[in-house]
Coordinates of all heavy atoms in Angstrom, one line a residue:
Q21 N 1.0 -14.4 -4.7 CA 0.1 -13.5 -4.1 C 1.0 -12.6 -3.1 O 1.6 -13.1 -2.2 CB -1.0 -14.2 -3.3 CG -2.0 -13.3 -2.7 CD -3.3 -14.0 -2.2 OE1 -3.2 -15.2 -2.0 NE2 -4.3 -13.2 -2.0
A22 N 0.9 -11.3 -3.5 CA 1.7 -10.3 -2.6 C 0.7 -9.8 -1.6 O -0.5 -9.8 -1.8 CB 2.3 -9.2 -3.5
P23 N 1.2 -9.2 -0.5 CA 0.4 -8.7 0.5 C -0.7 -7.6 -0.1 O -0.2 -6.7 -0.8 CB 1.3 -8.1 1.5 CG 2.5 -8.9 1.3 CD 2.6 -9.2 -0.2
G24 N -1.9 -7.7 0.2 CA -2.8 -6.8 -0.3 C -3.2 -6.9 -1.8 O -4.0 -6.1 -2.3
K25 N -2.8 -7.9 -2.4 CA -3.1 -8.1 -3.8 C -3.8 -9.5 -4.1 O -3.7 -10.4 -3.3 CB -1.8 -8.1 -4.7 CG -1.2 -6.6 -4.7 CD -0.1 -6.5 -5.7 CE 0.6 -5.1 -5.7 NZ 1.6 -5.1 -6.7
Q26 N -4.4 -9.6 -5.2 CA -5.0 -10.9 -5.6 C -4.0 -11.9 -6.0 O -2.9 -11.5 -6.6 CB -6.1 -10.7 -6.6 CG -7.3 -9.9 -6.1 CD -8.4 -9.9 -7.1 OE1 -8.2 -10.0 -8.4 NE2 -9.7 -9.7 -6.7
R27 N -4.3 -13.1 -6.0 CA -3.4 -14.2 -6.5 C -3.4 -14.1 -8.0 O -4.4 -13.9 -8.6 CB -3.9 -15.5 -6.0 CG -2.9 -16.7 -6.5 CD -3.4 -18.0 -5.8 NE -3.4 -18.0 -4.4 CZ -3.6 -19.1 -3.6 NH1 -3.8 -20.2 -4.2 NH2 -3.6 -18.9 -2.3
E28 N -2.2 -14.1 -8.7 CA -2.1 -14.1 -10.0 C -1.3 -15.1 -10.6 O -0.4 -15.6 -10.0 CB -1.4 -12.7 -10.4 CG 0.0 -12.5 -9.9 CD 0.6 -11.3 -10.3 OE1 0.0 -10.4 -11.0 OE2 1.7 -11.0 -10.0
L29 N -1.6 -15.5 -12.0 CA -0.8 -16.5 -12.6 C 0.6 -15.9 -13.0 O 0.7 -14.8 -13.5 CB -1.6 -16.9 -13.9 CG -0.7 -17.8 -14.8 CD1 -0.6 -19.2 -14.2 CD2 -1.4 -17.8 -16.2
V30 N 1.6 -16.7 -12.7 CA 3.0 -16.5 -13.0 C 3.3 -17.2 -14.3 O 3.8 -16.5 -15.3 CB 3.9 -16.8 -11.9 CG1 5.4 -16.6 -12.3 CG2 3.6 -16.0 -10.7
A31 N 3.1 -18.5 -14.3 CA 3.5 -19.3 -15.4 C 2.7 -20.7 -15.4 O 2.4 -21.1 -14.2 CB 5.0 -19.5 -15.5
S32 N 2.5 -21.2 -16.5 CA 1.8 -22.5 -16.5 C 2.4 -23.4 -17.7 O 2.9 -22.8 -18.7 CB 0.3 -22.4 -16.7 OG 0.0 -21.9 -17.9
I33 N 2.3 -24.7 -17.6 CA 2.8 -25.6 -18.5 C 1.9 -26.8 -18.7 O 1.4 -27.3 -17.7 CB 4.2 -26.1 -18.2 CG1 4.8 -26.9 -19.3 CG2 4.2 -26.7 -16.8 CD1 6.3 -27.1 -19.1
T34 N 1.5 -27.1 -20.0 CA 0.6 -28.2 -20.2 C 1.3 -29.6 -20.2 O 2.6 -29.6 -20.0 CB -0.2 -28.0 -21.6 OG1 0.8 -28.1 -22.6 CG2 -0.8 -26.6 -21.6
G35 N 0.6 -30.6 -20.4 CA 1.2 -31.9 -20.4 C 2.1 -32.1 -21.6 O 3.0 -32.9 -21.6
S36 N 1.8 -31.3 -22.6 CA 2.7 -31.3 -23.8 C 3.7 -30.3 -23.8 O 4.4 -30.0 -24.8 CB 1.8 -31.3 -25.1 OG 1.1 -30.1 -25.1
S37 N 3.9 -29.6 -22.6 CA 5.0 -28.6 -22.4 C 4.7 -27.3 -23.1 O 5.6 -26.6 -23.4 CB 6.3 -29.3 -22.7 OG 6.7 -30.2 -21.9
R38 N 3.5 -27.0 -23.4 CA 3.2 -25.6 -23.9 C 3.1 -24.7 -22.7 O 2.5 -25.0 -21.7 CB 1.9 -25.6 -24.7 CG 1.5 -24.4 -25.3 CD 0.3 -24.5 -26.1 NE -0.9 -24.8 -25.3 CZ -2.0 -25.2 -25.8 NH1 -2.3 -25.3 -27.2 NH2 -3.0 -25.5 -25.1
T39 N 3.9 -23.6 -22.8 CA 4.0 -22.7 -21.7 C 3.2 -21.4 -21.9 O 3.0 -20.9 -23.0 CB 5.4 -22.4 -21.4 OG1 6.0 -21.9 -22.5 CG2 6.2 -23.7 -21.1
T40 N 2.8 -20.7 -20.8 CA 2.2 -19.4 -20.7 C 2.9 -18.7 -19.6 O 3.2 -19.2 -18.5 CB 0.8 -19.5 -20.4 OG1 0.1 -20.3 -21.5 CG2 0.1 -18.2 -20.4
Y41 N 3.1 -17.4 -19.8 CA 3.8 -16.6 -18.8 C 3.1 -15.2 -18.7 O 2.5 -14.7 -19.6 CB 5.3 -16.2 -19.2 CG 6.2 -17.4 -19.2 CD1 6.4 -18.0 -20.5 CD2 6.8 -17.8 -18.1 CE1 7.3 -19.2 -20.5 CE2 7.6 -18.9 -18.1 CZ 7.9 -19.6 -19.3 OH 8.7 -20.6 -19.4
A42 N 3.1 -14.7 -17.4 CA 2.6 -13.4 -17.2 C 3.5 -12.4 -17.9 O 4.8 -12.7 -17.9 CB 2.5 -13.1 -15.7
D43 N 3.1 -11.3 -18.4 CA 3.9 -10.4 -19.1 C 5.1 -9.9 -18.2 O 6.2 -9.6 -18.6 CB 3.1 -9.1 -19.6 CG 2.2 -9.5 -20.7 OD1 2.4 -10.5 -21.4 OD2 1.3 -8.7 -21.0
S44 N 4.8 -9.7 -16.9 CA 5.7 -9.2 -15.9 C 7.0 -10.2 -15.8 O 8.0 -9.7 -15.2 CB 5.1 -8.9 -14.7 OG 4.6 -10.1 -14.0
V45 N 6.9 -11.4 -16.2 CA 7.9 -12.3 -15.9 C 8.6 -12.9 -17.2 O 9.6 -13.6 -17.1 CB 7.6 -13.4 -15.0 CG1 7.0 -13.0 -13.7 CG2 6.7 -14.4 -15.7
K46 N 8.0 -12.5 -18.3 CA 8.5 -13.0 -19.6 C 10.0 -12.6 -19.8 O 10.3 -11.5 -19.5 CB 7.7 -12.5 -20.8 CG 6.4 -13.2 -20.9 CD 5.6 -12.6 -22.0 CE 4.2 -13.3 -22.2 NZ 3.4 -12.7 -23.4
G47 N 10.8 -13.5 -20.1 CA 12.2 -13.4 -20.4 C 13.0 -13.5 -19.1 O 14.3 -13.5 -19.2
R48 N 12.4 -13.6 -18.0 CA 13.2 -13.7 -16.7 C 12.8 -15.1 -16.0 O 13.7 -15.7 -15.4 CB 12.8 -12.6 -15.7 CG 13.0 -11.3 -16.2 CD 12.9 -10.2 -15.2 NE 11.4 -10.1 -14.7 CZ 11.1 -10.3 -13.4 NH1 12.0 -10.6 -12.5 NH2 9.8 -10.2 -13.1
F49 N 11.7 -15.6 -16.1 CA 11.3 -16.9 -15.5 C 11.1 -18.0 -16.6 O 10.6 -17.7 -17.7 CB 9.9 -16.7 -14.8 CG 10.0 -15.8 -13.6 CD1 11.1 -15.1 -13.2 CD2 8.9 -15.8 -12.7 CE1 11.2 -14.3 -12.1 CE2 8.9 -15.0 -11.6 CZ 10.1 -14.3 -11.3
T50 N 11.4 -19.1 -16.2 CA 11.2 -20.3 -17.1 C 10.5 -21.4 -16.4 O 11.0 -21.8 -15.3 CB 12.5 -20.8 -17.7 OG1 13.1 -19.7 -18.4 CG2 12.3 -22.0 -18.6
I51 N 9.4 -21.9 -16.8 CA 8.7 -23.1 -16.3 C 9.0 -24.3 -17.0 O 9.2 -24.3 -18.3 CB 7.2 -22.8 -16.1 CG1 6.5 -23.9 -15.3 CG2 6.6 -22.7 -17.5 CD1 5.0 -23.6 -14.9
S52 N 9.2 -25.3 -16.3 CA 9.5 -26.7 -17.0 C 8.9 -27.8 -16.1 O 8.4 -27.6 -15.0 CB 11.0 -26.9 -17.1 OG 11.6 -27.0 -15.9
R53 N 8.9 -29.0 -16.6 CA 8.3 -30.1 -15.8 C 9.0 -31.4 -16.2 O 9.4 -31.6 -17.3 CB 6.8 -30.2 -16.1 CG 6.3 -30.6 -17.5 CD 4.9 -30.5 -17.6 NE 4.1 -31.6 -17.0 CZ 2.8 -31.5 -16.8 NH1 2.0 -30.6 -17.2 NH2 2.2 -32.5 -16.1

């Protein structure tokens, strides 16, 4: 959540390690668990 903006999803990962990314961070961010 940036100042003045709504909270947004950046990345998520399921129990089986399936991942989802916001378009703005694809290729730059990596989520793991």
Side-chain angles (χ1 to χ4, degrees):
Q21 188 166 18
K25 295 187 177 181
Q26 290 189 336
R27 189 174 297 188
E28 62 175 1
L29 173 69
V30 176
S32 64
I33 184 167
T34 67
S36 58
S37 295
R38 184 173 63 189
T39 58
T40 301
Y41 294 94
D43 289 342
S44 59
V45 307
K46 284 181 181 176
R48 300 188 297 123
F49 291 11
T50 302
I51 189 170
S52 60
R53 66 188 288 172

